[in-house]
């Protein structure tokens, strides 16, 4: 068991945020819309979902990436236990040198543009490819992800049921 944990640790370290573990249901999704915010999308789909399930959009903090945030937050384990999907938007360093979501930029604070539209398109992608309970779509985040959570709730109240910062 220890050897397996060490191996996974080194794989995660050497992959620098591009690690996708097919056994856990992780996917990198590159074509989820026009993506005007130039974000990466990762999704997690647990096994054993047999009916419409909730969706959680979980956003990392500054200096993090989606893989690190998923590992540190345990959203995947919660999804496995409670049978819901998770989307992890990921900021690119080309957009923000600290990989913070740009919640403070006017171009990323309106529903029809920038990072807000990219994240909404991620939700739309999940709704098109999985059986999502549209009355149970939630958004959460840490640090700049928490601030972006507030922006998403303000810009898309018809999309998200609730949010937590």
């Amino acid at each position: 068991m220890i050897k397996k944990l060490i191996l996974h640790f080194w794989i995660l370290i050497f992959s620098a945020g591009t690690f996708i573990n097919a056994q856990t249901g992780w996917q990198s999704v590159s074509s989820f819309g026009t993506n005007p915010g130039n974000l990466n999308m990762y999704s997690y789909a647990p096994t054993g979902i047999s009916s419409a399930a909730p969706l959680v959009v979980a956003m990392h903090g500054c200096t993090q990436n989606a893989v690190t945030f998923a590992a540190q937050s345990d959203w995947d384990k919660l999804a496995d236990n409670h049978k819901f999907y998770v989307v992890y938007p990921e900021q690119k360093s080309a957009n923000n040198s600290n990989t913070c979501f740009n919640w403070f930029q006017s171009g990323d604070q309106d529903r029809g543009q920038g990072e807000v539209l990219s994240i909404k398109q991620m939700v739309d992608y999940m709704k098109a490819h999985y059986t999502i309970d549209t009355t149970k779509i939630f958004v959460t985040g840490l640090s700049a992800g928490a601030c972006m959570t507030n922006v998403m709730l303000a810009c898309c109240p018809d999309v998200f049921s609730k949010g937590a910062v």
Side-chain angles (χ1 to χ4, degrees):
M1 178 70 174
I2 298 294
K3 287 181 183 180
K4 188 175 180 180
L5 288 172
I6 292 170
L7 175 62
H8 284 142
F9 173 77
W10 285 111
I11 290 171
L12 184 62
I13 294 298
F14 285 118
S15 64
T18 59
F19 178 69
I20 304 299
N21 184 342
Q23 292 178 334
T24 63
W26 264 81
Q27 288 185 10
S28 172
V29 180
S30 58
S31 297
F32 57 88
T34 58
N35 191 16
N38 191 33
L39 301 175
N40 292 326
M41 176 186 174
Y42 296 90
S43 66
Y44 182 76
T47 59
I49 294 180
S50 59
S51 60
L55 171 65
V56 172
V57 176
M59 293 182 276
H60 64 79
C62 296
T63 71
Q64 290 182 316
N65 60 41
V67 172
T68 301
F69 183 62
Q72 292 175 349
S73 66
D74 281 339
W75 275 111
D76 295 351
K77 288 180 186 176
L78 288 168
D80 285 334
N81 291 338
H82 300 285
K83 301 302 179 201
F84 61 85
Y85 299 98
V86 185
V87 165
Y88 296 97
E90 182 181 76
Q91 183 60 276
K92 296 179 182 179
S93 60
N95 299 335
N96 184 296
S97 61
N98 289 319
T99 63
C100 303
F101 288 98
N102 290 315
W103 58 272
F104 51 89
Q105 298 285 346
S106 60
D108 293 305
Q109 294 176 336
D110 291 323
R111 180 182 178 111
Q113 63 186 29
E115 293 176 12
V116 171
L117 182 53
S118 291
I119 295 166
K120 183 185 177 304
Q121 289 174 344
M122 292 177 197
V123 171
D124 293 341
Y125 174 91
M126 294 298 289
K127 289 171 24 180
H129 291 86
Y130 298 93
T131 306
I132 303 297
D133 181 344
T134 58
T135 67
K136 295 180 181 175
I137 300 176
F138 308 102
V139 60
T140 188
L142 172 73
S143 181
C147 293
M148 199 64 190
T149 295
N150 286 326
V151 170
M152 295 308 298
L153 289 168
C155 293
C156 304
D158 58 315
V159 174
F160 297 102
S161 303
K162 294 181 181 172
V165 296

Short mmCIF file of all heavy atoms in Angstrom, two decimals, residues 2-55:
data_model
loop_
_atom_site.label_atom_id
_atom_site.label_comp_id
_atom_site.label_asym_id
_atom_site.label_seq_id
_atom_site.Cartn_x
_atom_site.Cartn_y
_atom_site.Cartn_z
N ILE A 2 1.91 1.27 0.82
CA ILE A 2 2.80 2.43 0.90
C ILE A 2 3.49 2.66 -0.44
O ILE A 2 3.57 3.80 -0.91
CB ILE A 2 3.85 2.25 2.02
CG1 ILE A 2 3.15 2.16 3.38
CG2 ILE A 2 4.87 3.36 2.01
CD1 ILE A 2 2.45 3.42 3.80
N LYS A 3 3.95 1.59 -1.07
CA LYS A 3 4.62 1.73 -2.37
C LYS A 3 3.67 2.33 -3.41
O LYS A 3 4.06 3.17 -4.21
CB LYS A 3 5.12 0.37 -2.86
CG LYS A 3 6.33 -0.13 -2.10
CD LYS A 3 6.78 -1.45 -2.66
CE LYS A 3 7.96 -1.98 -1.85
NZ LYS A 3 8.43 -3.26 -2.37
N LYS A 4 2.42 1.89 -3.38
CA LYS A 4 1.43 2.42 -4.32
C LYS A 4 1.19 3.91 -4.07
O LYS A 4 1.11 4.70 -5.00
CB LYS A 4 0.12 1.65 -4.18
CG LYS A 4 -0.90 1.99 -5.23
CD LYS A 4 -2.12 1.09 -5.10
CE LYS A 4 -3.13 1.44 -6.17
NZ LYS A 4 -4.32 0.60 -6.08
N LEU A 5 1.08 4.34 -2.82
CA LEU A 5 0.90 5.75 -2.49
C LEU A 5 2.09 6.58 -2.93
O LEU A 5 1.94 7.67 -3.48
CB LEU A 5 0.67 5.93 -0.99
CG LEU A 5 -0.69 5.47 -0.47
CD1 LEU A 5 -0.70 5.53 1.06
CD2 LEU A 5 -1.79 6.29 -1.04
N ILE A 6 3.29 6.06 -2.72
CA ILE A 6 4.50 6.78 -3.14
C ILE A 6 4.54 6.91 -4.65
O ILE A 6 4.84 7.98 -5.18
CB ILE A 6 5.77 6.08 -2.59
CG1 ILE A 6 5.81 6.23 -1.06
CG2 ILE A 6 7.03 6.64 -3.23
CD1 ILE A 6 6.87 5.39 -0.39
N LEU A 7 4.20 5.84 -5.35
CA LEU A 7 4.17 5.89 -6.81
C LEU A 7 3.18 6.94 -7.30
O LEU A 7 3.50 7.76 -8.16
CB LEU A 7 3.80 4.51 -7.38
CG LEU A 7 3.62 4.45 -8.91
CD1 LEU A 7 4.93 4.80 -9.61
CD2 LEU A 7 3.14 3.08 -9.32
N HIS A 8 1.96 6.97 -6.73
CA HIS A 8 0.97 7.98 -7.14
C HIS A 8 1.45 9.39 -6.83
O HIS A 8 1.23 10.32 -7.60
CB HIS A 8 -0.38 7.71 -6.47
CG HIS A 8 -1.12 6.58 -7.09
ND1 HIS A 8 -1.84 5.69 -6.36
CD2 HIS A 8 -1.23 6.19 -8.38
CE1 HIS A 8 -2.38 4.79 -7.17
NE2 HIS A 8 -2.02 5.08 -8.39
N PHE A 9 2.12 9.55 -5.71
CA PHE A 9 2.67 10.86 -5.35
C PHE A 9 3.66 11.34 -6.40
O PHE A 9 3.59 12.46 -6.87
CB PHE A 9 3.34 10.79 -3.97
CG PHE A 9 4.07 12.04 -3.60
CD1 PHE A 9 3.40 13.17 -3.17
CD2 PHE A 9 5.46 12.09 -3.70
CE1 PHE A 9 4.08 14.32 -2.84
CE2 PHE A 9 6.14 13.24 -3.36
CZ PHE A 9 5.46 14.35 -2.94
N TRP A 10 4.59 10.48 -6.80
CA TRP A 10 5.60 10.88 -7.78
C TRP A 10 4.99 11.12 -9.16
O TRP A 10 5.39 12.04 -9.86
CB TRP A 10 6.73 9.86 -7.84
CG TRP A 10 7.63 10.00 -6.65
CD1 TRP A 10 7.77 9.13 -5.62
CD2 TRP A 10 8.44 11.14 -6.33
NE1 TRP A 10 8.63 9.65 -4.68
CE2 TRP A 10 9.07 10.88 -5.09
CE3 TRP A 10 8.72 12.34 -6.96
CZ2 TRP A 10 9.93 11.77 -4.49
CZ3 TRP A 10 9.58 13.23 -6.35
CH2 TRP A 10 10.18 12.95 -5.13
N ILE A 11 4.02 10.33 -9.52
CA ILE A 11 3.34 10.57 -10.80
C ILE A 11 2.68 11.94 -10.78
O ILE A 11 2.78 12.71 -11.73
CB ILE A 11 2.31 9.46 -11.10
CG1 ILE A 11 3.03 8.15 -11.43
CG2 ILE A 11 1.39 9.86 -12.24
CD1 ILE A 11 2.10 6.95 -11.51
N LEU A 12 2.03 12.26 -9.68
CA LEU A 12 1.37 13.56 -9.56
C LEU A 12 2.38 14.70 -9.61
O LEU A 12 2.18 15.69 -10.30
CB LEU A 12 0.57 13.61 -8.26
CG LEU A 12 -0.26 14.86 -8.01
CD1 LEU A 12 -1.33 15.00 -9.09
CD2 LEU A 12 -0.91 14.80 -6.66
N ILE A 13 3.50 14.56 -8.91
CA ILE A 13 4.54 15.59 -8.90
C ILE A 13 5.11 15.81 -10.29
O ILE A 13 5.22 16.94 -10.77
CB ILE A 13 5.67 15.22 -7.92
CG1 ILE A 13 5.16 15.21 -6.48
CG2 ILE A 13 6.87 16.16 -8.06
CD1 ILE A 13 4.64 16.53 -5.97
N PHE A 14 5.46 14.73 -11.00
CA PHE A 14 6.10 14.87 -12.29
C PHE A 14 5.15 15.31 -13.39
O PHE A 14 5.57 15.85 -14.40
CB PHE A 14 6.79 13.56 -12.71
CG PHE A 14 8.06 13.33 -11.96
CD1 PHE A 14 8.20 12.23 -11.14
CD2 PHE A 14 9.11 14.22 -12.04
CE1 PHE A 14 9.36 12.01 -10.43
CE2 PHE A 14 10.28 14.02 -11.34
CZ PHE A 14 10.41 12.91 -10.52
N SER A 15 3.86 15.12 -13.22
CA SER A 15 2.92 15.51 -14.26
C SER A 15 2.53 16.97 -14.18
O SER A 15 1.96 17.50 -15.11
CB SER A 15 1.67 14.63 -14.19
OG SER A 15 1.01 14.86 -12.97
N ALA A 16 2.82 17.65 -13.08
CA ALA A 16 2.63 19.10 -12.93
C ALA A 16 1.27 19.58 -13.37
O ALA A 16 1.13 20.50 -14.15
CB ALA A 16 3.74 19.85 -13.67
N GLY A 17 0.24 18.91 -12.91
CA GLY A 17 -1.10 19.42 -13.16
C GLY A 17 -1.78 18.84 -14.38
O GLY A 17 -2.89 19.23 -14.70
N THR A 18 -1.14 17.93 -15.10
CA THR A 18 -1.79 17.35 -16.26
C THR A 18 -2.13 15.89 -16.04
O THR A 18 -2.47 15.18 -16.96
CB THR A 18 -0.88 17.47 -17.51
OG1 THR A 18 0.35 16.80 -17.24
CG2 THR A 18 -0.63 18.92 -17.85
N PHE A 19 -2.07 15.44 -14.82
CA PHE A 19 -2.34 14.05 -14.48
C PHE A 19 -3.83 13.75 -14.58
O PHE A 19 -4.65 14.40 -13.97
CB PHE A 19 -1.85 13.78 -13.06
CG PHE A 19 -2.11 12.39 -12.56
CD1 PHE A 19 -1.44 11.32 -13.10
CD2 PHE A 19 -3.03 12.18 -11.56
CE1 PHE A 19 -1.68 10.05 -12.63
CE2 PHE A 19 -3.27 10.91 -11.08
CZ PHE A 19 -2.59 9.84 -11.61
N ILE A 20 -4.17 12.77 -15.37
CA ILE A 20 -5.55 12.33 -15.50
C ILE A 20 -5.57 10.84 -15.18
O ILE A 20 -4.92 10.05 -15.85
CB ILE A 20 -6.09 12.57 -16.94
CG1 ILE A 20 -5.96 14.03 -17.32
CG2 ILE A 20 -7.51 12.09 -17.06
CD1 ILE A 20 -6.71 14.98 -16.44
N ASN A 21 -6.30 10.45 -14.17
CA ASN A 21 -6.37 9.06 -13.75
C ASN A 21 -7.70 8.50 -14.22
O ASN A 21 -8.74 8.77 -13.63
CB ASN A 21 -6.23 8.98 -12.23
CG ASN A 21 -6.19 7.56 -11.74
OD1 ASN A 21 -6.59 6.64 -12.45
ND2 ASN A 21 -5.70 7.38 -10.54
N ALA A 22 -7.67 7.70 -15.27
CA ALA A 22 -8.90 7.15 -15.83
C ALA A 22 -9.63 6.25 -14.83
O ALA A 22 -10.84 6.12 -14.88
CB ALA A 22 -8.59 6.37 -17.11
N GLN A 23 -8.90 5.64 -13.92
CA GLN A 23 -9.54 4.77 -12.94
C GLN A 23 -10.45 5.55 -12.01
O GLN A 23 -11.39 4.99 -11.46
CB GLN A 23 -8.49 4.02 -12.13
CG GLN A 23 -7.72 3.02 -12.95
CD GLN A 23 -6.66 2.34 -12.13
OE1 GLN A 23 -6.16 2.88 -11.15
NE2 GLN A 23 -6.32 1.13 -12.52
N THR A 24 -10.18 6.81 -11.78
CA THR A 24 -11.00 7.58 -10.87
C THR A 24 -12.08 8.37 -11.58
O THR A 24 -12.81 9.10 -10.94
CB THR A 24 -10.14 8.55 -10.04
OG1 THR A 24 -9.52 9.48 -10.92
CG2 THR A 24 -9.10 7.82 -9.23
N GLY A 25 -12.18 8.28 -12.89
CA GLY A 25 -13.22 9.00 -13.61
C GLY A 25 -12.84 10.42 -14.00
O GLY A 25 -13.69 11.19 -14.39
N TRP A 26 -11.56 10.77 -13.89
CA TRP A 26 -11.10 12.09 -14.29
C TRP A 26 -11.03 12.20 -15.80
O TRP A 26 -10.61 11.26 -16.47
CB TRP A 26 -9.70 12.34 -13.73
CG TRP A 26 -9.70 13.10 -12.45
CD1 TRP A 26 -9.92 12.60 -11.21
CD2 TRP A 26 -9.46 14.48 -12.29
NE1 TRP A 26 -9.83 13.60 -10.29
CE2 TRP A 26 -9.55 14.77 -10.92
CE3 TRP A 26 -9.20 15.52 -13.19
CZ2 TRP A 26 -9.38 16.04 -10.42
CZ3 TRP A 26 -9.02 16.78 -12.69
CH2 TRP A 26 -9.11 17.04 -11.32
N GLN A 27 -11.41 13.37 -16.31
CA GLN A 27 -11.28 13.63 -17.74
C GLN A 27 -10.85 15.08 -17.96
O GLN A 27 -11.32 15.97 -17.25
CB GLN A 27 -12.61 13.43 -18.47
CG GLN A 27 -13.05 12.03 -18.61
CD GLN A 27 -14.32 11.94 -19.46
OE1 GLN A 27 -14.76 12.91 -20.07
NE2 GLN A 27 -14.91 10.78 -19.50
N SER A 28 -10.01 15.26 -18.93
CA SER A 28 -9.72 16.59 -19.42
C SER A 28 -10.63 16.81 -20.62
O SER A 28 -10.69 15.98 -21.51
CB SER A 28 -8.25 16.68 -19.87
OG SER A 28 -8.02 17.91 -20.51
N VAL A 29 -11.36 17.91 -20.61
CA VAL A 29 -12.31 18.20 -21.69
C VAL A 29 -11.81 19.44 -22.41
O VAL A 29 -11.73 20.52 -21.82
CB VAL A 29 -13.74 18.42 -21.14
CG1 VAL A 29 -14.71 18.71 -22.27
CG2 VAL A 29 -14.19 17.23 -20.30
N SER A 30 -11.47 19.29 -23.68
CA SER A 30 -10.92 20.42 -24.42
C SER A 30 -11.95 21.15 -25.28
O SER A 30 -11.78 22.32 -25.58
CB SER A 30 -9.74 19.97 -25.28
OG SER A 30 -10.16 18.96 -26.17
N SER A 31 -13.01 20.48 -25.65
CA SER A 31 -14.02 21.09 -26.52
C SER A 31 -15.35 21.19 -25.78
O SER A 31 -16.21 20.33 -25.91
CB SER A 31 -14.18 20.27 -27.80
OG SER A 31 -12.98 20.27 -28.53
N PHE A 32 -15.50 22.25 -25.00
CA PHE A 32 -16.74 22.42 -24.24
C PHE A 32 -17.46 23.70 -24.61
O PHE A 32 -18.43 24.07 -23.95
CB PHE A 32 -16.45 22.38 -22.73
CG PHE A 32 -15.46 23.40 -22.26
CD1 PHE A 32 -15.87 24.68 -21.89
CD2 PHE A 32 -14.12 23.10 -22.17
CE1 PHE A 32 -14.97 25.63 -21.45
CE2 PHE A 32 -13.20 24.04 -21.73
CZ PHE A 32 -13.62 25.31 -21.37
N GLY A 33 -17.03 24.37 -25.64
CA GLY A 33 -17.68 25.60 -26.08
C GLY A 33 -16.63 26.54 -26.67
O GLY A 33 -15.51 26.14 -26.94
N THR A 34 -17.02 27.79 -26.83
CA THR A 34 -16.10 28.77 -27.40
C THR A 34 -15.00 29.15 -26.41
O THR A 34 -13.96 29.66 -26.82
CB THR A 34 -16.86 30.04 -27.83
OG1 THR A 34 -17.53 30.59 -26.69
CG2 THR A 34 -17.86 29.72 -28.93
N ASN A 35 -15.23 28.97 -25.14
CA ASN A 35 -14.25 29.18 -24.08
C ASN A 35 -13.57 30.56 -24.16
O ASN A 35 -12.35 30.66 -24.25
CB ASN A 35 -13.20 28.06 -24.09
CG ASN A 35 -12.32 28.06 -22.87
OD1 ASN A 35 -12.62 28.68 -21.85
ND2 ASN A 35 -11.21 27.34 -22.97
N PRO A 36 -14.34 31.64 -24.12
CA PRO A 36 -13.74 32.97 -24.23
C PRO A 36 -12.83 33.33 -23.05
O PRO A 36 -11.99 34.22 -23.18
CB PRO A 36 -14.95 33.91 -24.28
CG PRO A 36 -16.02 33.16 -23.57
CD PRO A 36 -15.79 31.71 -23.91
N GLY A 37 -12.96 32.65 -21.92
CA GLY A 37 -12.09 32.89 -20.77
C GLY A 37 -10.79 32.13 -20.83
O GLY A 37 -9.93 32.30 -19.97
N ASN A 38 -10.63 31.27 -21.85
CA ASN A 38 -9.39 30.51 -22.05
C ASN A 38 -9.03 29.68 -20.82
O ASN A 38 -7.89 29.69 -20.35
CB ASN A 38 -8.25 31.44 -22.45
CG ASN A 38 -7.02 30.68 -22.93
OD1 ASN A 38 -7.14 29.62 -23.53
ND2 ASN A 38 -5.85 31.23 -22.64
N LEU A 39 -10.02 28.95 -20.27
CA LEU A 39 -9.80 28.10 -19.10
C LEU A 39 -9.66 26.64 -19.52
O LEU A 39 -10.09 26.26 -20.61
CB LEU A 39 -10.98 28.22 -18.14
CG LEU A 39 -11.30 29.60 -17.59
CD1 LEU A 39 -12.57 29.55 -16.74
CD2 LEU A 39 -10.13 30.15 -16.78
N ASN A 40 -9.09 25.83 -18.66
CA ASN A 40 -9.09 24.38 -18.83
C ASN A 40 -10.30 23.82 -18.09
O ASN A 40 -10.74 24.38 -17.09
CB ASN A 40 -7.82 23.75 -18.25
CG ASN A 40 -6.58 24.12 -19.03
OD1 ASN A 40 -6.62 24.29 -20.24
ND2 ASN A 40 -5.48 24.26 -18.33
N MET A 41 -10.79 22.68 -18.58
CA MET A 41 -11.90 22.00 -17.92
C MET A 41 -11.51 20.57 -17.59
O MET A 41 -11.01 19.84 -18.45
CB MET A 41 -13.14 21.97 -18.83
CG MET A 41 -14.29 21.19 -18.23
SD MET A 41 -15.67 21.04 -19.40
CE MET A 41 -16.74 19.94 -18.49
N TYR A 42 -11.74 20.19 -16.35
CA TYR A 42 -11.60 18.81 -15.90
C TYR A 42 -12.93 18.40 -15.29
O TYR A 42 -13.60 19.21 -14.65
CB TYR A 42 -10.48 18.67 -14.87
CG TYR A 42 -9.12 18.99 -15.44
CD1 TYR A 42 -8.61 20.27 -15.39
CD2 TYR A 42 -8.37 17.99 -16.05
CE1 TYR A 42 -7.37 20.57 -15.93
CE2 TYR A 42 -7.12 18.28 -16.60
CZ TYR A 42 -6.63 19.57 -16.53
OH TYR A 42 -5.41 19.87 -17.07
N SER A 43 -13.27 17.14 -15.48
CA SER A 43 -14.50 16.66 -14.87
C SER A 43 -14.23 15.34 -14.15
O SER A 43 -13.28 14.62 -14.48
CB SER A 43 -15.60 16.47 -15.92
OG SER A 43 -15.26 15.44 -16.82
N TYR A 44 -15.09 15.06 -13.21
CA TYR A 44 -15.02 13.80 -12.48
C TYR A 44 -16.41 13.18 -12.47
O TYR A 44 -17.38 13.83 -12.06
CB TYR A 44 -14.54 14.01 -11.04
CG TYR A 44 -14.43 12.71 -10.29
CD1 TYR A 44 -13.36 11.85 -10.53
CD2 TYR A 44 -15.40 12.32 -9.40
CE1 TYR A 44 -13.26 10.63 -9.88
CE2 TYR A 44 -15.31 11.10 -8.74
CZ TYR A 44 -14.24 10.26 -8.98
OH TYR A 44 -14.14 9.06 -8.33
N ALA A 45 -16.49 11.94 -12.94
CA ALA A 45 -17.75 11.22 -12.99
C ALA A 45 -17.57 9.90 -12.23
O ALA A 45 -16.88 9.00 -12.71
CB ALA A 45 -18.15 10.94 -14.43
N PRO A 46 -18.17 9.79 -11.06
CA PRO A 46 -18.04 8.54 -10.31
C PRO A 46 -18.81 7.40 -10.98
O PRO A 46 -19.74 7.65 -11.75
CB PRO A 46 -18.65 8.87 -8.94
CG PRO A 46 -19.52 10.04 -9.17
CD PRO A 46 -18.98 10.78 -10.35
N THR A 47 -18.41 6.21 -10.70
CA THR A 47 -19.15 5.06 -11.22
C THR A 47 -20.41 4.84 -10.40
O THR A 47 -20.50 5.28 -9.25
CB THR A 47 -18.28 3.78 -11.17
OG1 THR A 47 -17.91 3.55 -9.81
CG2 THR A 47 -17.04 3.92 -12.03
N GLY A 48 -21.37 4.20 -11.00
CA GLY A 48 -22.57 3.80 -10.28
C GLY A 48 -23.69 4.82 -10.22
O GLY A 48 -24.63 4.64 -9.47
N ILE A 49 -23.60 5.88 -11.01
CA ILE A 49 -24.72 6.83 -11.05
C ILE A 49 -25.76 6.28 -12.02
O ILE A 49 -25.45 6.05 -13.18
CB ILE A 49 -24.26 8.24 -11.46
CG1 ILE A 49 -23.35 8.83 -10.39
CG2 ILE A 49 -25.47 9.15 -11.70
CD1 ILE A 49 -22.84 10.22 -10.69
N SER A 50 -26.96 6.07 -11.54
CA SER A 50 -27.99 5.44 -12.37
C SER A 50 -29.16 6.36 -12.71
O SER A 50 -30.04 5.97 -13.46
CB SER A 50 -28.50 4.18 -11.68
OG SER A 50 -29.04 4.51 -10.42
N SER A 51 -29.18 7.56 -12.15
CA SER A 51 -30.26 8.50 -12.45
C SER A 51 -29.68 9.91 -12.44
O SER A 51 -28.49 10.10 -12.23
CB SER A 51 -31.39 8.36 -11.44
OG SER A 51 -30.92 8.64 -10.14
N ALA A 52 -30.54 10.88 -12.65
CA ALA A 52 -30.08 12.27 -12.65
C ALA A 52 -29.37 12.58 -11.33
O ALA A 52 -29.86 12.24 -10.26
CB ALA A 52 -31.26 13.21 -12.85
N ALA A 53 -28.21 13.19 -11.44
CA ALA A 53 -27.38 13.44 -10.26
C ALA A 53 -26.99 14.92 -10.20
O ALA A 53 -26.95 15.61 -11.22
CB ALA A 53 -26.12 12.58 -10.31
N PRO A 54 -26.68 15.40 -9.01
CA PRO A 54 -26.22 16.78 -8.86
C PRO A 54 -24.86 17.00 -9.54
O PRO A 54 -24.13 16.06 -9.84
CB PRO A 54 -26.09 16.95 -7.34
CG PRO A 54 -26.96 15.89 -6.76
CD PRO A 54 -26.88 14.74 -7.72
N LEU A 55 -24.54 18.27 -9.72
CA LEU A 55 -23.25 18.69 -10.26
C LEU A 55 -22.68 19.76 -9.35
O LEU A 55 -23.39 20.70 -8.97
CB LEU A 55 -23.44 19.26 -11.68
CG LEU A 55 -22.23 19.94 -12.32
CD1 LEU A 55 -21.10 18.95 -12.55
CD2 LEU A 55 -22.63 20.62 -13.62
#
